[in-house]
Amino acid sequence: MCGVFGVFGDEAAAELTYLGLYALQHRGQESAGMAVTDGRRIRIHKGMGLVSRVFGEGELGSLKGHAAIGHVRYSTTGAAHVANAQPLLSLSAHGQIALAHNGNLTNTHLLRAELFGTGSVFQTTTDSEVILHLIARAASRSLEEAVVEATAKLSGAYALVVMTNEKLIGLRDPLGIRPLAIGRRGKTWLLASESCAFDVVGGELVRDVMPGEMVVIDRDGLRSCRFAAGSREAFCVFEYIYFARSDSVIDGRTVHEVRKQIGREL
């Protein structure tokens, strides 16, 4: 399961992320976290438990910035431990990078063994940290190129939000297994696992991120590119019948409408 949220272009980014994660709480209750940038430094806070427990007024007050990403976790790969809470934050040739991941990779063990063989050191047992290492290894490329190069090695499900001090990136795997949507709140851009997170912050759904699509948001706005073409789409049916909230809109239809149609077919 897990839920991810991102915001770019609002000085109340931490508060918006808190509300967005609260709306996505049904996707994961094990841990919660957020990373916030003021353009110079990324600050991070995360902990075990529900969003309301991890973040109080003191924590939110210390997270100042115009952009943020957040995560609520339901563990699939990696133990239930605060070290595995997300977002993950690292320092690389691209500067500070924060990453939050919804999904489950199927080639984690192979990639981890390859990275161990080249001297990589891991701080967690999650498959998400593998993605962060792969991005950091492409040091000679731009951040967008590094992200695309990293995803070429991944198999399985991933909806990612990646943030530096200058930009916010969102992408989905070529099969579109996990959901990710784009929203707007005035001039502020939003990313979330489900559109219900946009509703709670006063935003509106723009569209879904397409399978194999990467969107990059910075001070010049939003731009998009297709980094991979899937042979087919394989959206997870459990999103409609179990994971997603009934009022969320996925692929132009509310989850409630799809559930009713599934009932009619049965």
Side-chain angles (χ1 to χ4, degrees), residues 16 19 184-186 188 190 195-205:
L16 294 177
L19 293 172
R184 287 201 77 170
R185 181 179 182 267
T188 301
L190 306 166
S195 64
C196 64
F198 303 148
D199 300 334
V200 76
V201 300
E204 60 181 19
L205 173 65

Side-chain angles (χ1 to χ4, degrees), residues 199-257:
D199 300 334
V200 76
V201 300
E204 60 181 19
L205 173 65
V206 175
R207 65 176 178 87
D208 295 315
V209 176
M210 302 303 294
E213 180 186 19
M214 177 174 69
V215 295
V216 181
I217 303 166
D218 56 23
R219 295 196 181 277
D220 294 325
L222 180 146
R223 61 185 186 276
S224 163
C225 72
R226 292 295 291 270
F227 66 88
S231 57
R232 59 189 176 91
E233 291 189 17
F235 186 69
C236 178
V237 69
F238 271 84
E239 289 289 344
Y240 282 126
I241 67 174
Y242 179 43
F243 295 163
R245 223 170 76 172
S246 61
D247 57 333
S248 289
V249 177
I250 300 175
D251 198 21
R253 297 179 293 176
T254 67
V255 172
H256 179 64
E257 291 172 346

